[in-house]
Amino acid sequence: MNMNRGNPFQKEVVVDSWPDFKAVITRRQKEAETDDLDHYTNAYAVFYKDFRAYQRLLEEHDVINWDQVFQIQGLQSEVCDVSNAVANSKQLGVKLTSFKAVQFSPHSALPDTNALKGSSPRLTYLNIADADLLNRTWSRGGNEQCLRYIVKLISCFPSVCVRDDKGNPVSWSLTDQFATMCHGYTLPEHRRKGYSQLVALTLARKLRSRGFPCQGNVLDDNTASISLLKNVRAEFLPCRFHRLILTPAAFSG
């Protein structure tokens, strides 16, 4: 969908064969400017009908840039074992994180704006001036590459935030390059006010109104977010979301 809407992350699709394909990988266009340390932007998404076709595609010359730090993500179980095996054969380090996959259906709860009374706080959207705060508070962030990535996400995709009386964000969520809701966060001093639920449901409605899927993921030990998702009647999917970050030996030190 993002490729058909201006393709802001300069993606392209690689298949093992056409039209009867068995494996699909999305990747950055080769002519796109890249930073070899930027695994946020150097991202591949995977779908396959036959994991052996995916493995052959991985092993083909020139499908993956194995000389940079990058990530692979997918919703199928073999993506971990296959990617790990090929990466090990090329002496890359692999960090795997697995999440519960979740989606917001049209039957999810509606946003409750009772948490917002008077002129402040107010519900709005993020802008690039907020990127430094998001970089500092994201568990995956705190570096130059993540800061650039967040600026790009805010510039290109839907976001929602609650701002205090000084205009500063206190709770927010945004959308990543794969149309996934991400970095849902509320500053500690503003928690237990209903902001996280309001932000998540508002972003889901905004995505749905633009024709995007309303999807996300959550770590198994993030009990607060899991409880919130259950409260708003989000659907936990039978599959899991897998993200592998792969690092060549030249960058592992």
PDB file of all heavy atoms in Angstrom, residues 104-120:
ATOM      1  N   PHE A 104      -6.654  -4.296  15.101  1.00  0.00           N
ATOM      2  CA  PHE A 104      -7.864  -3.610  15.543  1.00  0.00           C
ATOM      3  C   PHE A 104      -8.922  -3.831  14.474  1.00  0.00           C
ATOM      4  O   PHE A 104      -8.712  -3.503  13.307  1.00  0.00           O
ATOM      5  CB  PHE A 104      -7.615  -2.116  15.716  1.00  0.00           C
ATOM      6  CG  PHE A 104      -6.721  -1.783  16.867  1.00  0.00           C
ATOM      7  CD1 PHE A 104      -5.343  -1.860  16.750  1.00  0.00           C
ATOM      8  CD2 PHE A 104      -7.259  -1.378  18.084  1.00  0.00           C
ATOM      9  CE1 PHE A 104      -4.510  -1.547  17.812  1.00  0.00           C
ATOM     10  CE2 PHE A 104      -6.440  -1.055  19.152  1.00  0.00           C
ATOM     11  CZ  PHE A 104      -5.067  -1.150  19.016  1.00  0.00           C
ATOM     12  N   SER A 105     -10.046  -4.378  14.858  1.00  0.00           N
ATOM     13  CA  SER A 105     -11.136  -4.621  13.917  1.00  0.00           C
ATOM     14  C   SER A 105     -12.115  -3.454  13.971  1.00  0.00           C
ATOM     15  O   SER A 105     -12.082  -2.629  14.891  1.00  0.00           O
ATOM     16  CB  SER A 105     -11.852  -5.922  14.270  1.00  0.00           C
ATOM     17  OG  SER A 105     -12.655  -5.736  15.424  1.00  0.00           O
ATOM     18  N   PRO A 106     -13.033  -3.378  12.999  1.00  0.00           N
ATOM     19  CA  PRO A 106     -14.069  -2.336  13.059  1.00  0.00           C
ATOM     20  C   PRO A 106     -14.941  -2.450  14.305  1.00  0.00           C
ATOM     21  O   PRO A 106     -15.648  -1.502  14.659  1.00  0.00           O
ATOM     22  CB  PRO A 106     -14.894  -2.588  11.788  1.00  0.00           C
ATOM     23  CG  PRO A 106     -13.958  -3.295  10.864  1.00  0.00           C
ATOM     24  CD  PRO A 106     -13.086  -4.144  11.754  1.00  0.00           C
ATOM     25  N   HIS A 107     -14.882  -3.612  14.978  1.00  0.00           N
ATOM     26  CA  HIS A 107     -15.695  -3.814  16.176  1.00  0.00           C
ATOM     27  C   HIS A 107     -14.943  -3.449  17.460  1.00  0.00           C
ATOM     28  O   HIS A 107     -15.466  -3.642  18.557  1.00  0.00           O
ATOM     29  CB  HIS A 107     -16.144  -5.271  16.246  1.00  0.00           C
ATOM     30  CG  HIS A 107     -16.842  -5.739  15.001  1.00  0.00           C
ATOM     31  ND1 HIS A 107     -18.063  -5.233  14.598  1.00  0.00           N
ATOM     32  CD2 HIS A 107     -16.462  -6.632  14.057  1.00  0.00           C
ATOM     33  CE1 HIS A 107     -18.417  -5.814  13.454  1.00  0.00           C
ATOM     34  NE2 HIS A 107     -17.473  -6.669  13.112  1.00  0.00           N
ATOM     35  N   SER A 108     -13.714  -2.963  17.321  1.00  0.00           N
ATOM     36  CA  SER A 108     -12.980  -2.518  18.514  1.00  0.00           C
ATOM     37  C   SER A 108     -13.696  -1.329  19.143  1.00  0.00           C
ATOM     38  O   SER A 108     -14.516  -0.660  18.509  1.00  0.00           O
ATOM     39  CB  SER A 108     -11.540  -2.129  18.132  1.00  0.00           C
ATOM     40  OG  SER A 108     -10.828  -3.232  17.626  1.00  0.00           O
ATOM     41  N   ALA A 109     -13.363  -1.063  20.387  1.00  0.00           N
ATOM     42  CA  ALA A 109     -14.005   0.031  21.110  1.00  0.00           C
ATOM     43  C   ALA A 109     -13.748   1.371  20.405  1.00  0.00           C
ATOM     44  O   ALA A 109     -12.771   1.534  19.671  1.00  0.00           O
ATOM     45  CB  ALA A 109     -13.478   0.080  22.539  1.00  0.00           C
ATOM     46  N   LEU A 110     -14.616   2.336  20.646  1.00  0.00           N
ATOM     47  CA  LEU A 110     -14.447   3.679  20.106  1.00  0.00           C
ATOM     48  C   LEU A 110     -13.609   4.525  21.055  1.00  0.00           C
ATOM     49  O   LEU A 110     -13.607   4.291  22.270  1.00  0.00           O
ATOM     50  CB  LEU A 110     -15.811   4.342  19.900  1.00  0.00           C
ATOM     51  CG  LEU A 110     -16.720   3.692  18.845  1.00  0.00           C
ATOM     52  CD1 LEU A 110     -18.086   4.385  18.848  1.00  0.00           C
ATOM     53  CD2 LEU A 110     -16.077   3.774  17.469  1.00  0.00           C
ATOM     54  N   PRO A 111     -12.868   5.514  20.531  1.00  0.00           N
ATOM     55  CA  PRO A 111     -12.083   6.385  21.411  1.00  0.00           C
ATOM     56  C   PRO A 111     -12.959   7.103  22.428  1.00  0.00           C
ATOM     57  O   PRO A 111     -14.037   7.589  22.089  1.00  0.00           O
ATOM     58  CB  PRO A 111     -11.428   7.373  20.436  1.00  0.00           C
ATOM     59  CG  PRO A 111     -11.477   6.714  19.106  1.00  0.00           C
ATOM     60  CD  PRO A 111     -12.706   5.861  19.111  1.00  0.00           C
ATOM     61  N   ASP A 112     -12.501   7.157  23.668  1.00  0.00           N
ATOM     62  CA  ASP A 112     -13.214   7.857  24.732  1.00  0.00           C
ATOM     63  C   ASP A 112     -12.486   9.163  25.021  1.00  0.00           C
ATOM     64  O   ASP A 112     -11.397   9.163  25.587  1.00  0.00           O
ATOM     65  CB  ASP A 112     -13.271   6.976  25.983  1.00  0.00           C
ATOM     66  CG  ASP A 112     -14.020   7.651  27.136  1.00  0.00           C
ATOM     67  OD1 ASP A 112     -14.550   8.765  26.925  1.00  0.00           O
ATOM     68  OD2 ASP A 112     -14.056   7.072  28.233  1.00  0.00           O
ATOM     69  N   THR A 113     -13.079  10.264  24.625  1.00  0.00           N
ATOM     70  CA  THR A 113     -12.416  11.567  24.783  1.00  0.00           C
ATOM     71  C   THR A 113     -12.700  12.215  26.136  1.00  0.00           C
ATOM     72  O   THR A 113     -12.352  13.376  26.350  1.00  0.00           O
ATOM     73  CB  THR A 113     -12.861  12.526  23.658  1.00  0.00           C
ATOM     74  OG1 THR A 113     -14.293  12.636  23.690  1.00  0.00           O
ATOM     75  CG2 THR A 113     -12.420  12.011  22.303  1.00  0.00           C
ATOM     76  N   ASN A 114     -13.310  11.480  27.074  1.00  0.00           N
ATOM     77  CA  ASN A 114     -13.583  12.057  28.393  1.00  0.00           C
ATOM     78  C   ASN A 114     -12.311  12.407  29.147  1.00  0.00           C
ATOM     79  O   ASN A 114     -12.331  13.217  30.080  1.00  0.00           O
ATOM     80  CB  ASN A 114     -14.412  11.076  29.230  1.00  0.00           C
ATOM     81  CG  ASN A 114     -15.856  11.001  28.748  1.00  0.00           C
ATOM     82  OD1 ASN A 114     -16.383  11.967  28.215  1.00  0.00           O
ATOM     83  ND2 ASN A 114     -16.482   9.843  28.917  1.00  0.00           N
ATOM     84  N   ALA A 115     -11.191  11.775  28.728  1.00  0.00           N
ATOM     85  CA  ALA A 115      -9.908  12.090  29.377  1.00  0.00           C
ATOM     86  C   ALA A 115      -9.452  13.503  29.038  1.00  0.00           C
ATOM     87  O   ALA A 115      -8.578  14.055  29.706  1.00  0.00           O
ATOM     88  CB  ALA A 115      -8.848  11.075  28.945  1.00  0.00           C
ATOM     89  N   LEU A 116     -10.039  14.088  27.988  1.00  0.00           N
ATOM     90  CA  LEU A 116      -9.649  15.430  27.565  1.00  0.00           C
ATOM     91  C   LEU A 116     -10.752  16.402  27.944  1.00  0.00           C
ATOM     92  O   LEU A 116     -11.838  16.384  27.383  1.00  0.00           O
ATOM     93  CB  LEU A 116      -9.421  15.460  26.049  1.00  0.00           C
ATOM     94  CG  LEU A 116      -8.455  14.410  25.489  1.00  0.00           C
ATOM     95  CD1 LEU A 116      -8.362  14.551  23.974  1.00  0.00           C
ATOM     96  CD2 LEU A 116      -7.080  14.542  26.122  1.00  0.00           C
ATOM     97  N   LYS A 117     -10.456  17.249  28.896  1.00  0.00           N
ATOM     98  CA  LYS A 117     -11.458  18.217  29.370  1.00  0.00           C
ATOM     99  C   LYS A 117     -10.879  19.620  29.272  1.00  0.00           C
ATOM    100  O   LYS A 117      -9.744  19.867  29.660  1.00  0.00           O
ATOM    101  CB  LYS A 117     -11.863  17.902  30.810  1.00  0.00           C
ATOM    102  CG  LYS A 117     -12.544  16.534  30.945  1.00  0.00           C
ATOM    103  CD  LYS A 117     -12.888  16.222  32.393  1.00  0.00           C
ATOM    104  CE  LYS A 117     -13.564  14.861  32.519  1.00  0.00           C
ATOM    105  NZ  LYS A 117     -13.873  14.516  33.922  1.00  0.00           N
ATOM    106  N   GLY A 118     -11.677  20.530  28.764  1.00  0.00           N
ATOM    107  CA  GLY A 118     -11.207  21.892  28.601  1.00  0.00           C
ATOM    108  C   GLY A 118     -10.301  22.022  27.391  1.00  0.00           C
ATOM    109  O   GLY A 118     -10.269  21.165  26.510  1.00  0.00           O
ATOM    110  N   SER A 119      -9.525  23.077  27.337  1.00  0.00           N
ATOM    111  CA  SER A 119      -8.650  23.327  26.184  1.00  0.00           C
ATOM    112  C   SER A 119      -7.353  22.543  26.261  1.00  0.00           C
ATOM    113  O   SER A 119      -6.603  22.484  25.283  1.00  0.00           O
ATOM    114  CB  SER A 119      -8.339  24.827  26.089  1.00  0.00           C
ATOM    115  OG  SER A 119      -7.704  25.268  27.289  1.00  0.00           O
ATOM    116  N   SER A 120      -7.042  21.969  27.416  1.00  0.00           N
ATOM    117  CA  SER A 120      -5.815  21.205  27.585  1.00  0.00           C
ATOM    118  C   SER A 120      -6.073  20.048  28.546  1.00  0.00           C
ATOM    119  O   SER A 120      -6.778  20.227  29.543  1.00  0.00           O
ATOM    120  CB  SER A 120      -4.709  22.107  28.133  1.00  0.00           C
ATOM    121  OG  SER A 120      -3.535  21.374  28.354  1.00  0.00           O
TER     122      SER A 120
END
